[in-house]
Amino acid sequence: ATGVSRPFVSSVEGLLVRWGGFVDAHGCSRIRGYTVSLRQPSPSAPDGYTLLWTASAVGETNTSVALPASLDASLEVGVRYSVHVAATSHAGLTATEAAAFTFAVDRTPPVVETVFDGADTPLDLACLPASLPPGCTWSAATDEGSGVLMVEWAIGTSRENASNVQPYTRVAVDATTGSMVRSLAEEWERTGKG
């Protein structure tokens, strides 16, 4: 089977397992359906795992199934879980080796220690001279669980309106520390606010 797996998830609510690439090698009976299972490693179990959940997807083209949200509370942070998919033909033959991928749960958001108003300054500015463009400086963003996927910054008039001047804008993933300066005139021109 082919597919893209995510090594970490924050919640299984809405987690969709998708697969593709299964074929009936002889082409005689085609694929009747799939069995999907969620497993947790368990060295003391006879098979080396504990079966947590299983579902069936009927039909050759039905190649996805959603994991139930009820599983979310039972999954432990940092444990590697595996999802297995096996195909069954109309002749009743099931693949002996199922396609599998593993993931861990991370429920802790990234941490940014400090954010300062104003670019190129280690001080939090109370007011910004009109001659300077708005910007910010921040310390390293860290996440011990799954790492930092993205960094966004915005300009707003308060915590409640954190992005009412400039919407959240992604910066390079490797920009986990640094500063961002954007001309407010450029932003107003881009968004039509000016």
Side-chain angles (χ1 to χ4, degrees), residues 50-117:
T50 300
L51 182 64
L52 301 176
W53 172 82
T54 189
S56 295
V58 179
E60 188 169 10
T61 60
N62 189 1
T63 58
S64 67
V65 66
L67 273 68
S70 60
L71 283 174
D72 192 27
S74 65
L75 298 183
E76 298 176 42
V77 172
V79 173
R80 302 293 308 171
Y81 296 94
S82 60
V83 175
H84 297 255
V85 179
T88 301
S89 70
H90 283 281
L93 303 172
T94 300
T96 55
E97 291 295 322
F101 70 90
T102 62
F103 68 92
V105 176
D106 177 8
R107 292 190 176 99
T108 306
V111 174
V112 176
E113 295 296 327
T114 54
V115 177
F116 298 114
D117 297 326

Side-chain angles (χ1 to χ4, degrees), residues 3 19-20 55 65 67 90 106 130-131 141 153 158 166 168 182:
W19 59 89
V65 66
L67 273 68
H90 283 281
D106 177 8
S131 61
W153 79 293
S158 67
Q166 173 189 300
Y168 281 96
R182 184 173 199 147

